[in-house]
Amino acid sequence: MTDDSRQHLREVKELDELLQKLFPISRSLSGLGNRETFRILKELIPLELTEYPSGTQVYDWTIPEEWRIRDAWIKSPDGERLVDYQECNLHVVGYSSPVRQRMQFADLAPHLHCLESSPEAIPYRTSYYQHNWGFCVTAAQYKRLEDAQGPFEVCIDSELKPDGAMTVGELRISGESQAEYLVSTYCCHPAMANDNLSGLLTATFLARDLLKKGKPQFSWRFVFVPETIGAIAYLQHNEATMKKLLGGLVITTCGGPGPLGYKETFLGDHLVDRAIRLAFRDRKVEPIRYSFVPDGSDERQYSSPGFRIPVASVTKDKYYEYSQYHTSLDNLDFVNGSQIAQSLAIYRDVIRVLDCNARYCSTAPWGEPQLSQRDLYPATGGGINQPSATGPDVVTTDIDAIMWVLFLSDSEYDLVTIAERADLEFARVVGAVDRLIDVGLLEKVSN
Ligand code: ZN
């Protein structure tokens, strides 16, 4: 077994363990489950946490009261828990107001949600901005309640704290340049694995990679927020900085068993799009392409007219596209570490492309420089495109990549353009650049 495959197995195991640990935690827009989730992620990366107070106005929105939930159930007349929050936190509509009441089925029914299309599933429902309460149940549970008729003991032991707060996590990795990219994901979904433990873990692992590698060329801002309200609040609190961001990634639903996908930025051909296409091309993977539409995740906020940050997503079973979406079937049978690792590999490549991208200029642009003098070209002519396995003239350098990089390096073309134009793997372009810098034939053009 190679070092790489050992490393891969270790990573898959770590992802699987983290999935197990994070899955049962009750997350929402706010509350103790979110803080517990951050506590676990902080064991991996030094996230900085900020609490935005409930009631604060953020642009057109208001930070909601903090929701805390301890327990919830529907009990039969003889005390049996017919629906039990302790079994699955999706049973309670997110942000449910507290309830403790005896009621008949007829009064309970308007507060019950189930899915005819997927009778085994408990649906995921929320009522963030309208005080309400409810239970989400399987079709079988619904039928049992209907048959029993009641009276039931109904309890939601929750609290909506007007003096609470909404927690967001961030990590800024400072690069050689202050020009910044964004990586954002959301932490507000309870027990569902693809949406969005896959995103939380992928973002965390990407941040950890960047921290390990030493100073990146660009600065990278990792943001972990509740979807929509969290992104809006974060934008409002960091307005000037966010307006200047170069581009970014919104990481969501990237751990399913289905094919990889890619949702474009609102521009469609931004450097972020091109980096993603290169990453897929170089791995010879054809993703499902999703054109930009103003729905989905937090690209709606980051790319809104006030900010216009071009952000894209790499997905694996994208939200809306899989039948388990927003139900209890989006669980750890559906998602695993090895599937997340596939998206992670693409995202790693995307970040590498964006972070390595730069423009260079040749220091000997008048005709071709003499490469054989610098051991970059075979001294014996005539053998081009005829690789030989032995002899002193074996070409150990990637001559194609060297020729392209030298030819295009007039300080206008960046490495992404060279990789596209020459149809060369990005890693080969970078390898050629390193080699040419070593022999003094290339200089970086400052950003
Ligand atoms: Zn969702």
Side-chain angles (χ1 to χ4, degrees), residues 186 189 195 227 325-326:
Y186 53 92
H189 283 43
D195 189 16
E227 208 173 16
Y325 171 70
H326 275 190

Side-chain angles (χ1 to χ4, degrees), residues 41-175:
L41 297 181
K42 269 171 73 98
E43 291 170 3
L44 302 161
I45 52 169
L47 278 174
E48 231 175 79
L49 303 187
T50 309
E51 300 279 352
Y52 295 149
S54 299
T56 314
Q57 185 82 19
V58 286
Y59 298 126
D60 205 36
W61 297 64
T62 306
I63 310 272
E65 294 155 311
E66 180 179 324
W67 189 54
R68 295 207 180 167
I69 170 126
R70 287 169 285 269
D71 203 356
W73 65 79
I74 301 173
K75 277 187 191 167
S76 67
D78 57 9
E80 186 195 351
R81 284 192 181 210
L82 301 174
V83 179
D84 186 355
Y85 172 79
Q86 300 300 336
E87 274 175 14
C88 175
N89 56 36
L90 294 174
H91 275 314
V92 172
V93 170
Y95 261 70
S96 278
S97 314
V99 181
R100 197 176 249 280
Q101 236 176 294
R102 281 171 79 77
M103 58 176 75
Q104 296 293 338
F105 181 76
D107 299 319
L108 176 61
H111 295 278
L112 295 178
H113 305 265
C114 72
L115 283 177
E116 273 172 35
S117 57
S118 183
E120 312 288 293
I122 304 161
Y124 167 53
R125 295 287 179 269
T126 60
S127 184
Y128 295 140
Y129 300 105
Q130 219 167 14
H131 283 174
N132 205 338
W133 62 271
F135 285 87
C136 303
V137 296
T138 64
Q141 282 175 316
Y142 187 93
K143 175 125 199 338
R144 227 183 135 188
L145 292 168
E146 192 176 24
D147 290 348
Q149 281 301 313
F152 303 108
E153 188 192 326
V154 175
C155 170
I156 297 179
D157 181 10
S158 67
E159 191 184 351
L160 285 158
K161 286 168 64 73
D163 59 344
M166 178 177 78
T167 317
V168 305
E170 66 186 315
L171 171 62
R172 188 176 179 280
I173 300 172
S174 186

Side-chain angles (χ1 to χ4, degrees), residues 59 180 221 234-235 238-247 302 304-310:
Y59 298 126
E180 246 180 69
R221 180 175 295 253
Y234 189 84
L235 284 166
N238 299 277
E239 187 179 284
T241 308
M242 296 300 279
K243 280 182 173 170
K244 286 189 291 199
L245 292 196
L246 299 172
Y302 296 127
S304 61
F307 292 92
R308 288 293 190 239
I309 309 164

Side-chain angles (χ1 to χ4, degrees), residues 245-306:
L245 292 196
L246 299 172
L249 302 163
V250 164
I251 305 192
T252 163
T253 48
C254 57
L260 285 153
Y262 142 55
K263 180 180 174 183
E264 295 174 346
T265 72
F266 73 99
L267 295 171
D269 59 352
H270 184 262
L271 191 62
V272 170
D273 294 289
R274 293 164 63 203
I276 291 174
R277 284 177 211 149
L278 279 183
F280 278 115
R281 186 201 69 179
D282 288 358
R283 284 184 178 266
K284 300 184 174 53
V285 175
E286 193 59 58
I288 304 175
R289 288 275 288 267
Y290 302 99
S291 303
F292 181 84
V293 278
D295 70 9
S297 188
D298 284 329
E299 60 274 25
R300 283 145 55 186
Q301 320 313 331
Y302 296 127
S303 305
S304 61

